[in-house]
Amino acid sequence: ESRLLSRGLPSSIHLLCRDLLKGELSIDEASTDLHYMIMEPSAFLRCSDMTPSNFSLIRSKLRGRDAEIRTMNDTFCKLTTTGVSEVMFVSGFSGSGKSRLVRTVVPHVAVAGGFAISKKFPQGIDDSLSLVLEAINDLIIMVSEDSTDEELYSIASELISSVGEVFLSVIHQVLPSIDLLFNVNVTSLASLGRGMPEQTSGLTNESISFILKTLITAISSRDRPVLLHFDDIQWTNASSLSVMAELVSGGIDTSCIFLV
């Protein structure tokens, strides 16, 4: 046990191994402790003993919501296991910690190799669908920055296989950042779609739903889950809700989204 300390490992690791070897700690308890060390290393992987002088309260931690946090995290884990998208509706009074509750799952998304996007619908918004499109555009940018060339090539190939090169210009009208997935500029994408409609406003909700679902299916997977969080959803409209519902429709591996 002392060898762990001599090798420079934190005392929390030393104590966990000691108690586990003595039978004073169960496997489940050890797993929980390791989970906290991974999620909050600054608090649970200290290299020296905690004393009143160096102890500090983690003010960002959501307290008194253990059951809700467990439900949210368990739902996300189920998604990464089954490959089937999940939807969760979080309701409560203003200031009750709904957004902070959702943020507790973000570290799990990062550990799983996924992406998290959060948007807030403002009161009185006229075109709530534009905010949904903005969220997917932000997702594309995030994917392009954090993916390898091989992963981007796989996404681009799946998109071309699903819709064809010509239809990519239509997707570009709705999602301008899509060129980042193909390592091409706007002009070359636009040139693929000569003779196709030029205005996004001319696209039906069904067409937009198809475009977004096709893209999400290419991007998301069990190994690359996506968290889409839309706050204050009461200010959106029926068209936007329909598009969001379509994103999570289908069976295994059609999309891998946690929509909250």
Side-chain angles (χ1 to χ4, degrees):
E1 300 163 2
S2 60
R3 294 178 182 177
L4 297 177
L5 293 176
S6 64
R7 292 178 180 272
L9 291 175
S11 57
S12 52
I13 295 291
H14 160 71
L15 294 174
L16 184 146
C17 292
R18 184 199 65 185
D19 293 345
L20 193 59
L21 290 172
K22 288 183 176 181
E24 298 176 356
L25 196 68
S26 69
I27 294 297
D28 287 342
E29 290 171 330
S31 297
T32 299
D33 287 349
L34 287 171
H35 168 77
Y36 284 129
M37 293 177 193
I38 293 173
M39 292 296 111
E40 298 181 30
S42 62
F44 294 100
L45 281 178
R46 293 181 180 271
C47 295
S48 59
D49 293 335
M50 254 187 210
T51 63
S53 61
N54 62 21
F55 177 78
S56 60
L57 179 67
I58 305 173
R59 299 185 182 278
S60 60
K61 184 176 178 61
L62 184 62
R63 305 179 189 281
R65 293 286 185 268
D66 292 346
E68 291 84 354
I69 291 173
R70 189 178 304 111
T71 298
M72 179 158 288
N73 290 336
D74 288 349
T75 303
F76 175 74
C77 290
K78 177 183 175 183
L79 174 145
T80 58
T81 301
T82 64
V84 178
S85 294
E86 297 282 346
V87 179
M88 179 173 288
F89 181 71
V90 181
S91 63
F93 294 107
S94 177
S96 59
K98 300 185 295 297
S99 297
R100 291 179 63 191
L101 175 62
V102 175
R103 286 197 292 270
T104 63
V105 81
V106 172
H108 297 271
V109 178
V111 170
F115 305 95
I117 298 292
S118 180
K119 293 292 180 181
K120 183 182 180 72
F121 288 105
Q123 184 176 1
I125 184 172
D126 294 325
D127 184 13
S128 56
L129 183 56
S130 64
L131 192 138
V132 177
L133 297 177
E134 181 181 316
I136 304 301
N137 257 309
D138 290 350
L139 173 62
I140 294 174
I141 295 172
M142 188 178 294
V143 170
S144 69
E145 292 175 344
D146 295 341
S147 300
T148 64
D149 290 341
E150 291 77 11
E151 289 171 333
L152 291 178
Y153 178 80
S154 176
I155 294 172
S157 298
E158 184 170 343
L159 282 173
I160 293 175
S161 175
S162 299
V163 302
E165 291 186 358
V166 174
F167 196 70
L168 289 177
S169 67
V170 180
I171 298 181
H172 187 273
Q173 295 174 32
V174 180
L175 304 167
S177 58
I178 193 176
D179 59 293
L180 297 174
L181 300 179
F182 290 85
N183 196 26
V184 296
N185 57 41
V186 176
T187 303
S188 60
L189 260 186
S191 67
L192 292 173
R194 292 192 179 97
M196 300 294 286
E198 296 183 354
Q199 297 297 324
T200 304
S201 59
L203 297 175
T204 64
N205 279 346
E206 289 75 14
S207 297
I208 293 176
S209 295
F210 171 76
I211 290 172
L212 298 186
K213 181 63 178 293
T214 300
L215 179 72
I216 288 294
T217 300
I219 288 178
S220 64
S221 67
R222 304 182 199 199
D223 298 325
R224 193 167 51 216
V226 173
L227 167 66
L228 290 179
H229 170 221
F230 292 103
D231 202 355
D232 285 345
I233 202 172
Q234 71 270 19
W235 305 124
T236 189
N237 55 33
S239 297
S240 299
L241 290 174
S242 175
V243 169
M244 286 188 280
E246 185 62 28
L247 289 178
V248 296
S249 65
I252 297 176
D253 292 334
T254 52
S255 65
C256 197
I257 301 178
F258 190 16
L259 181 62
V260 184

